Amino acid sequence: MRRSGKPSAFLIGALLVMFTSPFATALDLYPRAARSYLLVRDAEVVAERAPTQRLPPASLAKLLTALVVLDSNWNAERWLTVSANAASTPPTRVGLRAGEQITAGAALAAMLIRSANDACRVLVENFAANASEFQTRMNVRAQELGMRDSHFVDPCGFDAPGQHSTVTDLLKLGRRAHAVPLIAHLAVTPEAQLITRSGRTVRFSNTNQLLGRLDGVQGLKTGYTVQAGQCLIAYARRAGHDVWLVMLGGSERWWLAHGMIDDAFAASNTH
Amino acid sequence: MKHVWKGLLLGCAAASLAMAQGATPGEKWRVKTTMQMSGMSMPGQSMEICKPTDADSVPMKTDDNCQIYDMKRTGNTQSFKMRCTGEEPVEGSAEFTYLGSDRYQGKMLMKMRGETMTMAYEGEKLGGTCDAGALQREVRRMQADAQRQQADYERAMAENCRKAAAEGQPYVLTQCKDPADIKTYCSAVLTHDRFGGLLDGEKKANPNVNFPGSRPLTESAQLCGFTVDVERTRLCQTAEANGKLQYLANHCPGEAQALARLQCAGRSYTTISDRYRGFCAEFASNQQEELRRQEENSPTGKAKGLLNAGKKAFGLFNN
């Protein structure tokens, strides 16, 4: 009797985990949509693929960079100088020039709206003594958010050895970031312009192509690198329901994100 | 237990009414009641009632369904019978003995659904005067309230049915009987939006569950006398002209494929017209779901075919 007790307890425990885990029963409804994705309606996982697979996050990392910067004696009016290093950062860029000055608020807007790497570099260089310190702060912040399968190396999301995250972790990041009003506002801003201290105007538009095209969409961040493929954290709200889609290594990103989010809302209508 | 307590209360009410009805003023009595039924005994209850002076002169009606009759008085013994009709018919007979002018005891036997319940009463005069008609007025007020509430409920139900029928809501299937509502519902349900919703619901229905309302489309077809596939096809033919592209994408595979070739193939997400963006996105996600279904049903040797199918599906779109 004693011998049969332990397996039974284990089995019951396993069953409890199975029945209580929100990730236990979700189907991979869209098997070619992405290497990994997570589609969540309210608290329910509607569909998923490899939700804990570690993959490069590309520019989705900039949401974490934004949180770190906003936690660092943030002053949106502070003038920041564009270094030669920042000005020569690979695309996507808004075209900042070495020696120019822009406000921290403008840099944050360019980083989140246009996913601008030059603006991202400006922020990182001005809000930490060096890249290593910023990287450490990013990983500490990620741990605070419960992102246990993530490690960040490049604050702007360039592919780098050892840099990885999961759609499960990035959903936590997306939710936290969207809870910050400034980030939520920038995420739905279709286009903006910044004015340098010398008076030059730089216009840029949002990289999130769902804005204005998908009903209820409220951001949040796009990403792309050769290794990461098409990445996206999308959030939409309709009739009191929230839908989140996190996609890493995606293909046909916009078409499928649009369809998947519509599907998730349609599923909620039948409940 | 529900019936037992109902019987107990009915017994109390009957006894109370038997004593309370009649001229005002009355006198205060305390009545203790115990009940036995099916071998079990209920704890005693005590209540104060107002007994009218001439309580035993005529048979008395307690409510719409119950009547006290055959009331007799022989010396110190009073007896009567009670009959209730309706969903839970009750037959009862009671006998009470006055032990002086200020005390009585008695029993009432009641039969409900083949079970016999015995209620024992002990009455004690408390003294003082009271309004013997108060209880009856209260009962009448409660009856009037109940009738009013029932009428309100029926009006609300009728309104709900009219609204649900106009909107083609499956609520009609289980809650509404008015032929006019059924006719309205059957007309409303044969529209792209409602019919599409029912088709979606039918796809998601649990095959192991079957109860009224669990398969609204099948039940609607039976109620309204249409054939599901005939109506689905008919609505497919008019979907594009009516701008019901969501219906087309989800329920008309042939038409959707043809329209996707025409309107989605080679188009980018941002430059496509608003009219077709939702359709193309829905078509793309449906292609993904179809791939999943094929994957589930496919033996391992079909992996290559699946990959090709995936490429073909994506070939329709530019990001």
Side-chain angles (χ1 to χ4, degrees):
Chain A
M1 288 301 286
R2 285 173 63 84
R3 289 185 65 184
S4 65
K6 282 184 181 176
S8 298
F10 174 79
L11 182 63
I12 291 166
L15 285 171
L16 280 174
V17 169
M18 222 172 79
F19 287 123
T20 54
S21 167
F23 300 102
T25 55
L27 290 171
D28 178 11
L29 295 176
Y30 312 96
R32 302 283 184 272
R35 292 168 70 190
S36 171
Y37 72 85
L38 187 57
L39 181 61
V40 177
R41 179 197 55 232
D42 300 328
E44 178 191 4
V45 177
V46 176
E48 65 182 15
R49 180 178 183 80
T52 57
Q53 185 179 352
R54 294 175 169 188
L55 292 166
S59 289
L60 304 188
K62 287 179 177 127
L63 285 176
L64 186 57
T65 298
L67 290 178
V68 170
V69 165
L70 289 171
D71 284 345
S72 309
N73 295 320
W74 173 250
N75 175 6
E77 305 301 319
R78 178 181 160 197
W79 288 103
L80 310 177
T81 302
V82 180
S83 69
N85 177 49
S88 61
T89 304
T92 301
R93 294 188 300 230
V94 289
L96 300 176
R97 297 169 187 165
E100 277 186 324
Q101 286 191 311
I102 60 171
T103 62
L108 185 75
M111 179 179 77
L112 292 178
I113 294 173
R114 190 58 193 165
S115 201
N117 292 318
D118 45 2
C120 175
R121 284 277 184 262
V122 170
L123 285 168
V124 171
E125 288 171 359
N126 283 277
F127 279 85
N130 52 55
S132 174
E133 182 197 316
F134 199 92
Q135 182 192 118
T136 301
R137 282 160 61 186
M138 283 182 80
N139 286 305
V140 169
R141 192 76 176 90
Q143 287 298 308
E144 287 171 0
L145 293 175
M147 300 170 70
R148 293 184 181 82
D149 272 331
S150 299
H151 186 257
F152 294 90
V153 176
D154 188 292
C156 303
F158 288 108
D159 294 328
Q163 175 153 283
H164 57 79
S165 187
T166 67
V167 289
T168 302
D169 278 0
L170 290 166
L171 177 62
K172 294 173 186 170
L173 174 60
R175 282 185 158 141
R176 180 65 192 94
H178 191 264
V180 178
L182 178 57
I183 297 178
H185 169 72
L186 294 174
V188 290
T189 302
E191 55 187 17
Q193 61 181 33
L194 66 83
I195 301 173
T196 66
R197 196 163 198 174
S198 61
R200 188 169 74 92
T201 299
V202 179
R203 291 187 172 80
F204 50 90
S205 58
N206 203 308
T207 54
N208 188 345
Q209 299 189 358
L210 298 175
L211 288 180
R213 299 185 178 94
L214 175 65
D215 183 28
V217 75
Q218 298 188 29
L220 191 64
K221 190 69 192 77
T222 65
Y224 174 79
T225 67
V226 173
Q227 282 186 32
Q230 298 173 5
C231 302
L232 177 67
I233 299 178
Y235 167 58
R237 183 169 179 79
R238 294 180 197 165
H241 290 283
D242 294 314
V243 169
W244 285 89
L245 171 64
V246 184
M247 185 186 272
L248 292 176
S251 57
E252 310 294 344
R253 173 175 48 181
W254 304 120
W255 288 115
L256 286 171
H258 185 133
M260 290 162 80
I261 291 169
D262 270 349
D263 287 351
F265 280 118
S268 73
N269 289 339
T270 62
H271 284 188
Chain B
M1 284 300 284
K2 177 185 165 192
H3 302 307
V4 170
W5 279 110
K6 192 170 178 182
L8 176 67
L9 294 171
L10 185 63
C12 289
S16 305
L17 282 173
M19 297 174 187
Q21 186 149 351
T24 306
E27 51 196 29
K28 288 183 182 176
W29 284 66
R30 177 182 291 125
V31 180
K32 291 180 183 172
T33 312
T34 56
M35 189 273 285
Q36 285 188 324
M37 181 181 186
S38 301
M40 62 180 177
S41 173
M42 291 299 198
Q45 288 197 341
S46 178
M47 60 188 294
E48 280 188 25
I49 62 167
C50 191
K51 175 185 176 295
T53 309
D54 52 349
D56 55 348
S57 57
V58 290
M60 287 164 283
K61 187 179 178 186
T62 56
D63 63 32
D64 286 348
N65 292 331
C66 295
Q67 191 173 32
I68 291 174
Y69 65 100
D70 203 11
M71 185 170 279
K72 293 174 184 169
R73 178 79 179 254
T74 307
N76 287 339
T77 301
Q78 183 184 44
S79 64
F80 63 87
K81 292 179 180 173
M82 184 181 74
R83 179 183 297 128
C84 300
T85 56
E87 287 183 8
E88 292 187 346
V90 176
E91 287 285 347
S93 61
E95 188 172 283
F96 293 85
T97 303
Y98 287 88
L99 308 170
S101 60
D102 57 357
R103 207 155 65 86
Y104 75 85
Q105 62 183 28
K107 281 187 177 179
M108 180 186 282
L109 295 177
M110 292 196 292
K111 285 189 177 177
M112 297 171 60
R113 296 189 171 187
E115 289 192 88
T116 302
M117 183 168 69
T118 303
M119 300 188 67
Y121 300 88
E122 283 184 15
E124 178 188 9
K125 186 177 179 180
L126 298 175
T129 60
C130 54
D131 181 1
L135 177 61
Q136 188 182 35
R137 286 198 297 275
E138 179 63 11
V139 168
R140 282 178 180 159
R141 188 189 63 76
M142 288 170 70
Q143 285 175 336
D145 281 351
Q147 283 172 355
R148 217 169 15 251
Q149 285 170 8
Q150 178 67 18
D152 288 347
Y153 170 76
E154 286 171 4
R155 265 195 302 276
M157 283 290 288
E159 182 58 31
N160 286 344
C161 282
R162 272 193 293 279
K163 193 176 171 192
E167 293 173 354
Q169 298 290 345
Y171 172 86
V172 174
L173 295 168
T174 54
Q175 303 296 326
C176 308
K177 303 293 177 203
D178 188 331
D181 292 335
I182 305 291
K183 187 178 175 186
T184 305
Y185 172 78
C186 290
S187 172
V189 87
L190 291 177
T191 58
H192 293 93
D193 293 342
R194 288 311 311 156
F195 199 81
L198 292 178
L199 282 165
D200 286 337
E202 199 84 353
K203 280 182 193 169
K204 290 167 187 163
N206 183 340
N208 300 317
V209 173
N210 195 10
F211 55 84
S214 64
R215 281 185 169 62
L217 181 58
T218 303
E219 292 166 41
S220 297
Q222 288 166 354
L223 180 72
C224 305
F226 62 74
T227 305
V228 171
D229 214 44
V230 168
E231 293 304 323
R232 185 192 62 76
T233 305
R234 183 182 66 77
L235 289 168
C236 283
Q237 290 163 355
T238 57
E240 190 184 357
N242 287 290
K244 301 297 180 184
L245 301 184
Q246 188 89 1
Y247 181 90
L248 196 76
N250 290 324
H251 306 298
C252 315
E255 290 87 343
Q257 188 76 34
L259 189 64
R261 278 199 204 96
L262 203 63
Q263 299 294 347
C264 311
R267 310 291 173 92
S268 75
Y269 179 79
T270 50
T271 57
I272 197 169
S273 73
D274 287 344
R275 176 178 168 84
Y276 291 105
R277 183 177 291 112
F279 165 77
C280 294
E282 191 63 33
F283 184 80
S285 66
N286 287 348
Q287 292 276 306
Q288 287 283 308
E289 293 194 58
E290 182 56 31
L291 281 175
R292 179 185 65 86
R293 277 191 286 273
Q294 289 178 20
E295 205 164 51
E296 280 178 354
N297 299 325
S298 168
T300 51
K302 292 186 179 174
K304 189 178 173 186
L306 273 174
L307 186 60
N308 289 337
K311 285 179 180 171
K312 187 179 174 185
F314 289 137
L316 281 174
F317 301 98
N318 285 331
N319 201 36

